[in-house]
């Protein structure tokens, strides 16, 4: 069973992008190369500022949706609590 991650990227323009993956390094490289999400294209470089492990894709997707529904200040508070 593959481990899944919810992650938040901080883009060069200061915006935050939330996504899920089962391979953080590969997904970050895709974002850097411009082959990741459409939102992150043209906003490089990116830094992973938060990541959270989940046992399966379904739970990671639920958490991703929870985070995406947060206001920016609450996302920043979440990032402040994260120890990477």
């Amino acid at each position: 069973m593959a481990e899944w991650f919810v992650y938040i990227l901080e883009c060069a323009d200061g915006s935050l992008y939330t996504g899920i993956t089962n391979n953080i390094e590969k997904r970050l490289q895709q974002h850097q190369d411009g082959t990741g999400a459409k939102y992150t294209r043209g906003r490089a470089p990116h830094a992973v500022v938060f990541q959270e492990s989940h046992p399966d894709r379904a739970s990671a997707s639920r958490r991703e949706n929870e985070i995406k529904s947060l206001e920016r200040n609450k996302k920043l508070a979440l990032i402040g609590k994260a120890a990477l």
Side-chain angles (χ1 to χ4, degrees):
M1 180 179 351
E3 184 176 28
W4 284 81
F5 299 92
V6 177
Y7 64 94
I8 299 176
L9 294 180
E10 184 173 15
C11 300
D13 63 0
S15 63
L16 300 173
Y17 172 82
T18 305
I20 65 169
T21 186
N22 60 359
N23 186 329
I24 290 275
E25 294 81 19
K26 180 179 176 183
R27 188 64 176 147
L28 179 59
Q29 189 60 52
Q30 289 172 330
H31 287 298
Q32 302 290 28
D33 294 343
T35 60
K38 185 176 180 180
Y39 180 84
T40 60
R41 291 181 200 149
R43 288 182 166 92
H46 310 97
V48 176
V49 293
F50 176 83
Q51 69 182 40
E52 190 176 84
S53 176
H54 289 267
D56 54 46
R57 184 183 177 118
S59 65
S61 290
R62 283 191 299 275
R63 181 63 170 150
E64 176 190 25
N65 288 332
E66 287 174 10
I67 293 172
K68 284 183 172 184
S69 71
L70 295 175
E71 295 176 1
R72 181 177 171 82
N73 63 339
K74 295 195 180 197
K75 289 179 188 179
L76 292 173
L78 179 64
I79 292 166
K81 295 178 189 174
L84 294 177

